[in-house]
């Protein structure tokens, strides 16, 4: 019996694997933070939080504010402030919840849909410029990691922040 994995790499203990994941998480957090700062959009003058909430409404709406807060992993009071701001800009609108007359749902307006589309296009253009400076092998490595990164982005956390 060997201590190697099927691909010939030495087996690692659970502690080593946890340490590797923690180190990977730390490096990823720094890299994502730096990339985000470099590609922040200015087209709609929306903060990252406003744009994220608006994108959630565009993608998943109409939604109750509590559902948006859950997806965005923020508290309900924080989401209330975000929605008031988006509504004052004409990017979202409220309507009665068809399943509960005491509640309301939020939908994106046509201007909100355009704001998300424009911000995404601008971010993609800025990221493309960053990728243009990389070696082709690095771009292939990033492409290979995208499926896993997209899965991580979809994982719902149960705790809230803000």
């Amino acid at each position: 019996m060997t201590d190697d994995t099927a691909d010939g790499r030495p087996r690692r203990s659970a502690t080593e694997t946890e340490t590797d994941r923690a180190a990977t998480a730390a490096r990823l957090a720094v890299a994502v933070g730096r990339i985000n700062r470099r590609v922040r959009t200015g087209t709609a003058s929306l903060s990252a939080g406003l744009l994220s909430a608006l994108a959630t409404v565009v993608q998943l709406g109409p939604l109750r504010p509590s559902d948006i807060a859950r997806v965005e992993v923020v508290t309900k009071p924080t989401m209330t402030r975000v929605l008031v701001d988006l509504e004052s800009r004409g990017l979202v609108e409220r309507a009665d919840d068809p399943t509960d007359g005491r509640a309301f749902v939020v939908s994106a307006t046509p201007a909100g849909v355009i704001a998300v589309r424009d911000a995404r296009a601008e971010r993609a253009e800025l990221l493309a410029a960053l990728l243009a400076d990389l070696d082709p092998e690095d771009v292939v490595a990033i492409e290979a990691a995208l499926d896993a990164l997209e899965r991580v982005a979809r994982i719902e956390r149960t705790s809230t922040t803000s």
Side-chain angles (χ1 to χ4, degrees):
M1 187 145 131
T2 179
D3 286 328
D4 291 345
T5 61
D7 63 2
R9 291 180 294 144
R11 288 196 195 280
R12 293 184 279 176
S13 70
T15 303
E16 289 174 316
T17 300
E18 289 172 18
T19 301
D20 289 347
R21 285 184 186 221
T24 298
R27 288 179 61 199
L28 181 60
V30 170
V32 167
R34 287 181 178 160
I35 291 167
N36 271 330
R37 284 189 295 279
R38 293 182 73 181
V39 299
R40 283 207 174 118
T41 65
T43 55
S45 69
L46 296 175
S47 70
L50 290 176
L51 183 59
S52 182
L54 180 58
T56 294
V57 173
V58 167
Q59 181 181 7
L60 303 174
L63 294 169
R64 287 183 176 189
S66 59
D67 294 330
I68 304 167
R70 181 183 43 79
V71 171
E72 292 295 313
V73 194
V74 297
T75 63
K76 290 176 188 175
T78 296
M79 187 49 56
T80 298
R81 288 188 299 273
V82 166
L83 292 174
V84 165
D85 193 348
L86 291 172
E87 190 174 26
S88 73
R89 294 170 186 247
L91 302 174
V92 298
E93 59 192 5
R94 300 175 188 217
D96 290 337
D97 185 332
T99 62
D100 182 351
R102 300 167 295 166
F104 67 92
V105 293
V106 177
S107 299
T109 64
V113 172
I114 291 168
V116 169
R117 185 195 64 212
D118 290 351
R120 284 183 176 159
E122 182 180 354
R123 287 174 66 99
E125 185 178 312
L126 292 168
L127 273 170
L130 294 175
L131 293 177
D133 293 336
L134 293 178
D135 292 329
E137 298 82 22
D138 289 335
V139 176
V140 169
I142 291 169
E143 289 172 355
L146 283 175
D147 286 342
L149 290 170
E150 289 169 344
R151 283 192 300 278
V152 167
R154 287 191 304 265
I155 292 173
E156 287 190 31
R157 293 181 37 206
T158 55
S159 63
T160 58
T161 57
S162 292

